[in-house]
């Protein structure tokens, strides 16, 4: 079979400043799946499954408003699709000045916003991939979810064609079609989680379940929560990353509540949700600050 030729595109995507590139890279780094993603101090590279075939995306960050983009495409016609995905991943439609002003008005977040201006909610390059990652991440650590995704991808994920494979980027993230052919036993891990994943993969593969930009958030959330094994945390997280919902506060997330506690905020779901009403309509960004704060010592300086 003939290897695809590589069509290289170099361009840039402009973001509004301030822009917390370091935080976005940290978020991607701790979730990076081996063979699919590589994250450095100043860049992000990954394989992509696009309509015209496998591709490779590269992003390079500096202190400017322009993020350098490199695309190695099987089909040049995929350029616009890929750039739209980059814009979603970088959350380019966010208004950082308005978000920071709103969050900094809460004394509990004032110092954090000053320390991390322009925080973003990382979007996605593949809605189907996010639902697989999110189900794998239910009630386990980020590291455990990353390991599970890596094992599945290594076992059944498609290899990149020789013309596009580069060091560290040798596979595409496992697809719903590939997962749908597995049994729960073959997926491994907690049986209920595996069953939830197989069922979701089969419905994604045949179009019964659609997880993509453009879906009505309330409708998609209701569909997801109605599925056995999927709870509010999963549905909210998917709405935030796939649909770009700016006002989701995942109070069911333990790390997020740990961060809240370290900032002197309530750390029970109900009390944190009540306090978080003052962050509307930007609760998703407040959640990013709380996740980051969970890395602080128990008695933070900020």
């Amino acid at each position: 079979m003939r290897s695809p030729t590589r069509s290289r595109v170099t361009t840039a995507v402009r973001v509004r400043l301030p822009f917390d590139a370091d935080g976005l890279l940290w978020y991607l780094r701790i979730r990076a799946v081996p063979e699919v993603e590589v994250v450095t101090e100043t860049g992000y590279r990954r394989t992509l499954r696009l309509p015209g075939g496998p591709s490779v995306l590269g992003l390079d960050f500096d202190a400017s408003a322009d993020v350098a983009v490199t695309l190695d495409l099987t089909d040049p016609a995929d350029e616009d699709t890929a750039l739209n995905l980059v814009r979603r991943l970088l959350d380019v439609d966010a208004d950082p000045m308005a978000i920071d002003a709103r969050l900094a008005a809460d004394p509990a977040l004032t110092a954090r916003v000053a320390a991390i201006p322009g925080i973003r909610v990382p979007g996605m390059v593949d809605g189907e991939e996010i639902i697989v990652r999110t189900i794998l991440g239910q009630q386990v650590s980020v590291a455990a979810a990353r390991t599970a995704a890596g094992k599945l991808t290594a076992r059944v994920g498609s290899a990149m064609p020789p013309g596009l494979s580069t060091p560290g980027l040798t596979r595409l993230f496992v697809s719903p079609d590939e997962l749908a052919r597995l049994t729960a036993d073959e997926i491994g891990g907690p049986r209920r989680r595996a069953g939830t994943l197989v069922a979701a993969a089969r419905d994604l593969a045949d179009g019964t379940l659609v997880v993509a930009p453009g879906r009505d958030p309330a409708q998609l959330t209701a569909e997801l929560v109605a599925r056995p094994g999927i709870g509010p945390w999963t549905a909210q997280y998917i709405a935030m990353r796939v649909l770009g919902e700016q006002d989701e506060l995942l109070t069911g997330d333990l790390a997020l509540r740990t961060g809240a506690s370290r900032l002197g905020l309530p750390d029970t779901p109900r009390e944190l949700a009540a306090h978080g009403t003052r962050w509307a309509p930007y609760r998703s960004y407040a959640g990013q600050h709380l996740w980051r704060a969970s890395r602080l010592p128990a008695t933070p300086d900020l």
Side-chain angles (χ1 to χ4, degrees):
M1 184 176 183
R2 186 180 176 186
S3 298
T5 56
R6 180 184 300 195
S7 174
R8 171 158 287 194
V9 175
T10 56
T11 184
V13 169
R14 174 148 291 200
V15 296
R16 299 184 192 182
L17 297 178
F19 176 64
D20 177 34
D22 289 343
L24 188 141
L25 286 170
W26 165 78
Y27 192 96
L28 296 172
R29 183 179 298 113
I30 64 174
R31 292 165 173 80
V33 174
E35 300 186 76
V36 175
E37 298 168 287
V38 174
V39 187
T40 66
E41 290 301 311
T42 60
Y44 174 65
R45 283 163 178 70
R46 67 157 296 154
T47 61
L48 283 177
R49 184 180 282 103
L50 295 175
S55 302
V56 177
L57 163 68
L59 301 176
D60 290 286
F61 301 85
D62 58 24
S64 75
D66 292 321
V67 177
V69 180
T70 302
L71 294 166
D72 288 321
L73 304 170
T74 298
D75 185 349
D78 283 335
E79 179 180 350
D80 286 345
T81 298
L83 289 176
N84 283 333
L85 295 176
V86 170
R87 293 184 183 98
R88 289 185 177 278
L89 179 66
L90 300 179
D91 194 15
V92 297
D93 291 332
D95 183 344
M97 300 296 286
I99 293 165
D100 286 358
R102 181 66 171 175
L103 301 185
D106 182 348
L109 294 183
T110 302
R112 294 300 293 172
V113 173
I116 311 173
I119 205 164
R120 293 302 202 273
V121 175
M124 60 87 216
V125 294
D126 188 325
E128 294 178 345
E129 176 181 312
I130 289 294
I131 193 169
V132 172
R133 287 176 179 255
T134 308
I135 291 172
L136 289 173
Q138 290 183 143
Q139 299 181 329
V140 300
S141 68
V142 170
R146 172 188 176 181
T147 298
K151 287 180 177 178
L152 276 175
T153 295
R155 281 178 54 206
V156 298
S158 298
M160 288 292 285
L164 289 167
S165 180
T166 59
L169 299 175
T170 58
R171 288 190 175 274
L172 291 161
F173 190 88
V174 59
S175 71
D177 285 334
E178 290 162 339
L179 283 174
R181 293 194 289 268
L182 302 179
T183 66
D185 288 339
E186 289 171 324
I187 285 178
R191 188 168 183 80
R192 186 182 183 200
R193 186 187 73 181
T196 299
L197 185 55
V198 170
R202 289 173 179 168
D203 286 349
L204 288 167
D206 69 16
T208 302
L209 176 62
V210 176
V211 180
R215 290 292 314 271
D216 176 78
Q219 184 182 52
L220 178 58
T221 297
E223 285 182 22
L224 291 172
V225 172
R227 301 180 67 87
I230 293 183
W233 178 88
T234 301
Q236 285 180 281
Y237 185 83
I238 290 169
M240 184 175 69
R241 292 203 60 193
V242 177
L243 305 183
E245 285 295 282
Q246 297 188 331
D247 203 29
E248 297 281 358
L249 185 63
L250 279 65
T251 57
D253 189 277
L254 178 59
L256 187 144
R257 297 202 308 273
T258 297
S261 175
R262 291 179 180 176
L263 295 180
L265 289 161
D267 61 0
T268 65
R270 179 175 295 182
E271 291 177 334
L272 182 57
H275 184 97
T277 58
R278 70 192 66 191
W279 302 328
Y282 301 122
R283 281 174 278 196
S284 297
Y285 299 90
Q288 294 296 315
H289 279 290
L290 301 187
W291 268 321
R292 297 279 287 279
S294 69
R295 303 166 63 206
L296 294 170
T299 305
D301 295 325
L302 289 174

